[in-house]
């Protein structure tokens, strides 16, 4: 175990543990956009900057991927951190001027007006890659980073409806800036240029997911697709166990 100091408070952690995780475990707030516990190592938004002092030398690091190797002092909101974070947010604001999340962070940290830079009209995406990572982890790989330079974006191949998409909305739910739009009226769901039928639980009528999403989950589990919501599925398993063991 290693003892470090965060904003004057002594904290212990394991060697190699990332600073962001240590700070959050000890109750310190560090803003993030591209960080998600299910998809590690993004480190592209740079909002989680902190100041680290080791042997009298200070440096700014990206806390979500900075491993603690030795005792040090950490400052999550020093003047230097605030200034650097404000610059990062100013640039992100120009990348995604329509994002309410980034706008709120800019106001919180006093980010300067970046209008001298070319903003991307109507954009919310900061190219953090969380959506593509979630899609890949799910096993569909329906979306990815396409094109290069200023035209770089997240999309389906050739911007055409992808046969691999199952309409699960994992991409939309994990997006930190709500850049992925979709429509859902309870009967159908539209996302990435495709329309999916929403299946409802055969017992209680609650929405379960798209037919493609249910089929994918069944294949991964090695089972047949079953149109039951989590609550009714749990009840079914309880009834089976009760019958098996003769519990009345």
């Amino acid at each position: 175990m290693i003892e470090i100091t965060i904003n004057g408070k002594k904290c212990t952690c394991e060697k190699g543990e990332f600073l962001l995780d240590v700070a959050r475990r000890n109750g310190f707030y560090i803003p993030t956009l591209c960080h998600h516990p299910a998809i590690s190592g993004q480190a592209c938004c740079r909002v989680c900057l902190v100041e680290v002092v080791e042997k009298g030398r200070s440096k700014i690091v990206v806390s979500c991927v900075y491993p603690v190797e030795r005792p040090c002092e950490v400052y999550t909101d020093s003047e230097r951190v605030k200034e650097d974070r404000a610059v990062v947010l100013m640039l992100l604001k120009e990348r995604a001027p329509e994002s309410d999340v980034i706008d709120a962070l800019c106001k919180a940290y006093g980010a300067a007006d970046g209008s001298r830079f070319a903003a991307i009209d109507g954009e919310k995406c900061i190219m953090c890659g969380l959506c593509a990572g979630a899609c890949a982890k799910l096993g569909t790989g329906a979306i990815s980073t396409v094109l290069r330079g200023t035209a770089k974006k997240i999309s389906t191949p050739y911007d055409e409806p992808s046969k691999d998409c199952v309409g699960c909305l994992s991409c939309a739910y994990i997006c930190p800036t709500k850049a992925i739009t979709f429509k859902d009226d309870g009967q159908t769901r539209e996302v990435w240029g495709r329309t999916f039928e929403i299946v409802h639980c055969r017992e209680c009528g609650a929405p379960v997911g798209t037919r493609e999403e249910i089929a994918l989950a069944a294949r991964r589990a090695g089972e047949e697709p079953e149109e039951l919501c989590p609550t009714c599925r749990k009840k079914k398993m309880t009834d089976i166990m009760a019958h098996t063991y003769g519990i009345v």
Side-chain angles (χ1 to χ4, degrees):
M1 300 297 287
I2 297 175
E3 185 177 274
I4 66 175
T5 301
I6 303 178
N7 296 347
K9 176 183 176 181
K10 291 184 178 180
C11 308
T12 57
C13 64
E14 294 183 8
K15 184 176 182 179
E17 193 173 357
F18 292 136
L19 262 181
L20 178 63
D21 297 328
V22 180
R24 286 187 167 178
R25 188 175 67 247
N26 284 276
F28 294 102
Y29 169 71
I30 298 176
T32 61
L33 287 172
C34 73
H35 178 75
H36 193 280
I39 303 175
S40 61
Q42 298 295 105
C44 58
C45 76
R46 293 302 197 262
V47 176
C48 68
L49 297 173
V50 297
E51 184 176 3
V52 173
V53 180
E54 293 180 349
K55 298 180 179 179
R57 293 187 176 183
S58 170
K59 59 183 175 181
I60 295 293
V61 304
V62 181
S63 64
C64 68
V65 291
Y66 186 82
V68 179
E69 299 293 345
R70 61 189 64 84
C72 61
E73 296 176 38
V74 180
Y75 300 94
T76 65
D77 224 20
S78 65
E79 288 305 313
R80 185 180 176 188
V81 167
K82 289 178 182 178
E83 290 175 4
D84 286 3
R85 190 174 288 157
V87 171
V88 169
L89 288 168
M90 177 190 69
L91 296 175
L92 286 173
K93 177 68 175 176
E94 297 313 302
R95 164 68 207 187
E98 298 302 315
S99 170
D100 293 337
V101 174
I102 294 176
D103 187 53
L105 284 170
C106 283
K107 290 177 180 176
Y109 286 94
D113 179 13
S115 57
R116 65 181 182 277
F117 300 104
I120 305 176
D121 291 338
E123 186 60 83
K124 290 184 179 181
C125 177
I126 60 170
M127 292 301 299
C128 68
L130 281 177
C131 58
C135 192
K137 196 164 187 176
L138 185 66
T140 62
I143 58 175
S144 62
T145 303
V146 298
L147 306 179
R148 298 179 180 180
T150 57
K152 188 177 181 180
K153 64 179 181 177
I154 298 291
S155 185
T156 55
Y158 306 105
D159 286 332
E160 295 290 331
S162 171
K163 62 180 179 60
D164 297 316
C165 181
V166 296
C168 65
L169 297 185
S170 294
C171 56
Y173 293 145
I174 203 171
C175 177
T177 59
K178 309 302 179 186
I180 299 175
T181 58
F182 64 91
K183 294 180 180 179
D184 190 328
D185 62 8
Q187 300 300 319
T188 59
R189 180 180 294 165
E190 296 179 33
V191 66
W192 295 114
R194 287 189 61 183
T195 300
F196 300 87
E197 175 194 353
I198 296 179
V199 175
H200 293 76
C201 178
R202 67 169 187 264
E203 294 292 335
C204 68
V208 179
T210 68
R211 195 166 297 281
E212 292 82 354
E213 182 182 2
I214 294 171
L216 175 62
R219 284 199 305 273
R220 296 184 70 179
E223 302 172 351
E224 290 297 316
E226 192 167 30
E227 298 176 2
L228 288 174
C229 69
T231 300
C232 292
R233 188 180 301 117
K234 184 177 180 180
K235 182 178 182 298
K236 178 184 176 182
M237 290 303 299
T238 300
D239 292 343
I240 291 174
M241 293 295 290
H243 178 75
T244 302
Y245 292 101
I247 302 172
V248 179

